[in-house]
Amino acid sequence: MSIDHRPKAPDRDPPSLALAGTIGTDGYLADANAEWRAVLGWKPEEMASVDFLDFVHPDDLDATSDMTASALGGVAVVGFTNRLIDRDGDHHWFEWSITPSEDGPTVVGLELTEPADKSRALSESNRRGRSSLKTATIGIVTADEGGLITGLSATAEEMFGYESGDVIGASVKLLMHPSYRDEFDGEMMRYLDTREPTIIERGRQFEGRRKDGSTFPLGLAAGEIVIAGRSSFIGAAEDLTEKLSAQAERQTALIAKQALLVASQAALVAEYTSRAKTAFLSRMSHELRSPLTAIMGFAQLSEMEAETPEQAENARTITSAGGQLLTLINDVLDVCMIESGQLHLSMEDVSVGGVVRECIDSIDSRSGELKMELDIPVGPPVFVRADRQRLRQVLSNLLSTAMDWTPSGGKVVLALSAPDEGRARVAVTSTGQGVDAAKASRLFEAFDPGAADHIGSASLGLGLPLSAALIGSMGGTIGVETAHDEGSMLWFELAVSGPRSASPARDVPIPGVSSFGEPEVTVLYIEDNTPNVRLLERVLEHRPCVTLVSAELGALGLDFAASHKPDLVLLDLHLPDLQGDEVLARLRADPATEHIPVVVVSADANPDNAQIFADAGAEFLTKPIDVRRVLGLVDDAIAAKDPD
């Protein structure tokens, strides 16, 4: 009897080495193939000249002897594991499959390069004469050339839920899901016809099927052994459930890590973008407001110094146009801040009636031929939770819009009511054509020029969209009600809150000679913009007792303040050498200047600036400057110099 391997196609990887042969009744190995020498160093004739047990590790002799006796008795053995000694005296682990035959049991051994437990003891309790030792995840399935099972290893039994005796003689297709059986047949036939690697020599993944009908991912690779012209197949089966699960977990963890990385990068980009946008808005505010400082400041002076009614009217026109431009700039910047999430609100309990009266007073001079009416109920003042500055901005926008909608001789009514418990409503009603109800909702959408077409206005600007965003940010609602040819009503509602003691309004003296006398007062203006300095020079001509000193650099201003100790410091934020906040910090840190009143004057209209600089020990004024406000601050300095 001879043992050989079927010839393989050229240029293909060889199959895994397998020891093959037969055991005679005398216990000697016959027909040993060449792999015995390749693996153990023994020549086939050397293996055939001595008892097979002479090559077995001493610790495995008893179990191997029992296995051999079982095989010679006609019992198929699959999955038996022992150690053989090579020519150099080293041992090798093997897992054996033994198939009874007329010429003696056929043995096939696969080397275990990394057994799960090299110290494991062999058991004599296996009723088929096999070791109870199982590899960690690999099960051995043997089959004849017809694809009929000849044995299962213990691991394979556990994997599929069958015992060897239950499946010997059954097709190996029993161990796989029916949907894969035709495919398996096709691969086997192709291999037998062409000897091209398919599942044989290459392996692939199937869906395994257990005895109870459950399925699992099965990795199956097989090799062919030819003994005396007869083929048999040894298959290595692996349950891939844990491996695929671990792979999926690693993939999920990788995806999560990548998602976290992407999120972190997005957060960094968003933070950078937010900072860049904040810096842009601050600079844009400064660049747009600075020219208006000179324009509106000199216009106010011209109105104050006008010699004829015509000159005063011209100056008022300039001031009014500058105010409209300033409002547009403010609205654009506010919309940008809202869209970028940079708008910050200072929420407090605000008297609605007080804000209403402030707005009426500020626009009364612009009402012209319109009739303005107030409808505020008698009783305790109504307070709402809001940002006072932003609430006044919203109400001013609604009043300005109503005035634009009202024709000459018409009427604008501002009313305060409580439609629901816990809510306060402010409504501004205008007479006139009214707003097309179909287009009313578009009034609160930014940059929608079509919204103004139906009321004959060139543009609604950004007042209403901005008001809607501000009211929404303060937790309120806003809307419009209209009737054709009867007028329109703009309204907003806010939650009512508990009253607080209101601070008395400050009386600012009108321009003219100060009523406090004329002590010598020095005002230091740290400003690098020459028109702004000239404007303040002209303003202070109305206070002859004041000496104005200007410094273009922050460092020069600090030196002058320390040596001359002015009575008031007006400080710009954007200077060529130092930022204004740093100059302020140095003034407050120097004992010689820490007591000097400082007013920061800047075109940066960030609403948080007032509180920021108040915390730093300074007041804050926004450019373009209000001439009356500046004179009021100067009068405070005069009064502090000569309180009597």
Side-chain angles (χ1 to χ4, degrees), residues 66 146 185 221 256 371 469 494 529 582 602:
D66 291 342
D185 284 342
K371 182 179 180 182
L494 290 169
N529 187 290
E582 183 178 351
S602 175

Side-chain angles (χ1 to χ4, degrees), residues 265-328:
Q265 292 174 337
L268 290 175
V269 171
E271 181 180 358
Y272 175 80
T273 303
S274 177
R275 290 180 179 178
K277 185 172 288 188
T278 299
F280 170 77
L281 292 175
S282 177
R283 174 56 61 182
M284 184 61 64
S285 173
H286 183 271
E287 296 298 331
L288 292 174
R289 289 170 176 271
S290 292
L292 279 177
T293 299
I295 294 172
M296 296 186 66
F298 280 109
Q300 292 177 67
L301 280 176
S302 297
E303 181 182 354
M304 293 164 55
E305 299 171 356
E307 297 180 356
T308 66
E310 183 179 2
Q311 291 176 346
E313 179 61 27
N314 291 341
R316 281 194 294 272
T317 301
I318 296 174
T319 302
S320 177
Q324 294 175 16
L325 181 58
L326 178 61
T327 298
L328 181 58

